[in-house]
Amino acid sequence: MQKAHSFIGLVNPKSPTNVGMVMRAAGCFEVDAVFYSGTRFERARKFATDTKNAQSKIPLTYAENLPDAPVAGAKLVAIELIEGAVPLMDFVHPENAYYIFGPEDGSLKKEILDACDHVVYIPTIGCMNLAATVHVVLYDRMSKSGREVIAQRPIADNRDVNNNITISR
């Protein structure tokens, strides 16, 4: 079976903390690459909080125009709280997907939405934090991929080194 691929695009991210948490999510859910546009993150990059050092394994690359990033064969999926979008619980993730998220203090522009194959939203009251949104979307992708993912991610190999507790039932 061929490996599915996933990519993340961040439109002009403002917060280095959010980008650090996005990189952590990318590492946890095996994202192939993360792209970002705009100028704000580059100015704040030195303050990024990538606590699991995901950047050493996953490229974090500037892209002038996110829909043009090198993600061959991936379907573009905009994540935006917008009328007409598909609720995340009803969305069937493409095997190869490139998820594009708007900035923390704004929305995706019409040109980006028009370039996307799908537009999806998370039905919440109010909008979520950028990093939290990325985590929810990637978790949803993994949870819908089937139970075999459990065998690929054994707890003992992935838990924190300080967690040695087991439960018996």
Side-chain angles (χ1 to χ4, degrees), residues 3-164:
K3 179 189 182 304
H5 295 279
S6 60
F7 305 89
I8 295 173
L10 305 173
V11 173
N12 199 21
K14 174 175 75 168
S15 163
T17 302
N18 266 335
V19 175
M21 292 303 294
V22 166
M23 291 306 294
R24 184 169 185 156
C28 288
F29 295 104
E30 299 182 294
V31 168
D32 294 277
V34 177
F35 300 94
Y36 67 94
S37 66
T39 59
R40 299 187 298 184
F41 175 67
E42 201 53 52
R43 288 193 302 259
R45 188 177 196 139
K46 64 184 172 210
F47 302 109
T49 56
D50 176 7
T51 59
K52 290 286 188 177
N53 197 23
Q55 287 185 62
S56 67
K57 301 175 227 62
I58 301 167
L60 175 60
T61 308
Y62 174 79
E64 182 75 31
N65 184 30
L66 288 175
D68 295 336
V71 293
K75 296 289 185 184
L76 273 65
V77 181
I79 309 299
E80 185 64 78
L81 190 59
I82 188 171
E83 294 287 334
V86 174
L88 182 60
M89 65 273 284
D90 296 336
F91 182 62
V92 177
H93 295 266
E95 187 171 339
N96 296 311
Y98 176 28
Y99 302 98
I100 299 180
F101 298 84
E104 294 97 328
D105 54 355
S107 297
L108 291 173
K109 301 233 181 291
K110 186 171 178 1
E111 299 80 37
I112 290 178
L113 292 169
D114 289 346
C116 289
D117 300 292
H118 306 279
V119 180
V120 176
Y121 80 102
I122 300 170
T124 60
I125 297 171
C127 58
M128 291 173 53
N129 167 280
L130 172 63
T133 303
V134 171
H135 276 86
V136 168
V137 169
L138 294 178
Y139 175 79
D140 186 75
R141 176 184 173 85
M142 181 201 64
S143 72
K144 291 176 179 173
S145 69
R147 304 279 306 166
E148 65 274 358
V149 75
I150 294 171
Q152 298 167 4
R153 297 177 179 165
I155 292 171
D157 293 347
N158 291 294
R159 65 184 170 195
D160 186 273
V161 296
N162 296 317
N163 177 357
N164 294 313

